[in-house]
Amino acid sequence: MDFDKLVSVMRRLALEAGDAIMEVYGSDDFEVKSKSDQSPVTEADETADALISAGLREAFPDVALVTEEQAASHGQEVSTFLIVDPLDGTKEFVNRRGDFTVNIAYVEDGVPLRGVVYAPAKGRLFYTAADGSSVEETGDFAKEAPGPVAPIRVSQPDNGALMVVASKSHRDQATDDYIAKYHVKDMTSAGSSLKFCLIAAGEADLYPRLGRTMEWDTAAADAVLRGAGGRMVTFEGHAPFTYGKPGFANPFFIAHAPGVELKAP
């Protein structure tokens, strides 16, 4: 894979999809439909998906593509592939809370090597550079030329005073009970894949997820986290997290800075 080309294409498509999403977000009204699993989907999801899919297929016609909004892509058995969630955090989008993201990743042999996470309403853009390190870009997000980028790195956590990030829409008692095993300095809530990026940027130390997620929800942000020195492991057993699983379904997981002393379930 040509990583210079890959990162350039993924970044541009994420920004273009973000523009399309914000056009819908800024409208007076938009239709919210329910998918077969009862999760919400909007015109923004579908428009962004079409834009990203077309761009990836044109640039990388020989690489398998998996995307949330195309059910036909979910039956593939692949270990190297591009994977897309065109609008992660649709509930945040529908409720106009701003914590939604565009996610595009490249997985090779089960490992997410490169990814981009763009939060258009928040004006935050995270991605892995061609060399695999993670950065946050600032500026006006011009499509063809990156603006100023700053390397991001996970924190050196204090296990006596951890910063924990948890879901806005999916908090439950089991998650709270697990978090209670740690010495927590403070907690913050964030929607969508931004939780991973907060750890990658050193703004949080730990994110446990005891709930259903799919690989397209996590792959791009997992790549950013890994590129910043972070880790993602299974909740049960703390095993390395891999991609290309049957049906692209994830087990429960923990994303964390390496210095966090993980507790057993």
Side-chain angles (χ1 to χ4, degrees), residues 3-257:
F3 288 126
D4 286 299
K5 177 183 177 183
L6 175 69
V7 171
S8 176
V9 169
M10 290 198 304
R11 176 191 170 278
R12 176 177 55 80
L13 291 174
L15 291 171
E16 290 176 354
D19 286 349
I21 288 167
M22 292 305 292
E23 189 170 331
V24 178
Y25 190 67
S27 64
D28 292 335
D29 194 24
F30 50 81
E31 183 183 4
V32 182
K33 298 178 283 189
S34 290
K35 295 191 283 191
S36 59
D37 63 359
Q38 301 308 304
S39 62
V41 63
T42 70
E43 174 190 347
D45 298 74
E46 295 167 344
T47 301
D49 180 70
L51 187 158
I52 295 167
S53 297
L56 291 176
R57 287 195 172 108
E58 179 181 3
F60 307 104
D62 299 325
V63 181
L65 176 62
V66 178
T67 169
E68 178 181 13
E69 303 307 333
Q70 298 177 35
S73 72
H74 302 170
Q76 300 178 83
E77 294 183 13
V78 288
S79 61
T80 295
F81 52 98
L82 292 155
I83 186 163
V84 176
D85 188 345
L87 177 50
D88 184 35
T90 301
K91 289 180 181 177
E92 311 296 330
F93 178 88
V94 169
N95 292 317
R96 298 185 189 273
R97 286 199 289 252
D99 276 14
F100 50 85
T101 54
V102 180
N103 299 266
I104 310 172
Y106 171 69
V107 174
E108 188 171 281
D109 295 329
V111 178
L113 295 185
R114 301 291 184 276
V116 57
V117 177
Y118 178 41
K122 296 282 187 182
R124 298 197 77 174
L125 174 62
F126 302 90
Y127 55 90
T128 47
D131 66 1
S133 64
S134 291
V135 299
E136 180 172 7
E137 181 179 333
T138 55
D140 59 3
F141 301 144
K143 303 296 187 299
E144 300 304 326
V149 295
I152 56 175
R153 197 72 188 166
V154 294
S155 65
Q156 291 288 335
D158 176 355
N159 283 284
L162 292 174
M163 187 70 182
V164 177
V165 62
S167 174
K168 278 187 176 177
S169 301
H170 302 282
R171 280 283 289 282
D172 58 15
Q173 191 60 50
T175 302
D176 288 341
D177 290 346
Y178 181 71
I179 292 171
K181 295 174 180 281
Y182 295 86
H183 296 288
V184 177
K185 173 186 176 183
D186 200 1
M187 287 188 60
T188 186
S189 294
S192 70
S193 55
L194 281 172
K195 293 180 283 292
F196 292 86
C197 297
L198 295 181
I199 298 174
E203 297 172 31
D205 305 309
L206 176 70
Y207 163 39
R209 179 60 186 266
L210 285 67
R212 173 181 169 83
T213 61
M214 305 299 287
E215 292 186 8
W216 46 77
D217 295 317
T218 62
D222 188 358
V224 170
L225 179 62
R226 295 183 195 217
R231 294 176 185 164
M232 183 172 171
V233 297
T234 60
F235 184 70
E236 299 284 347
H238 303 162
F241 213 79
T242 61
Y243 290 79
K245 300 180 293 294
F248 303 98
N250 285 335
F252 296 173
F253 62 79
I254 305 168
H256 66 100

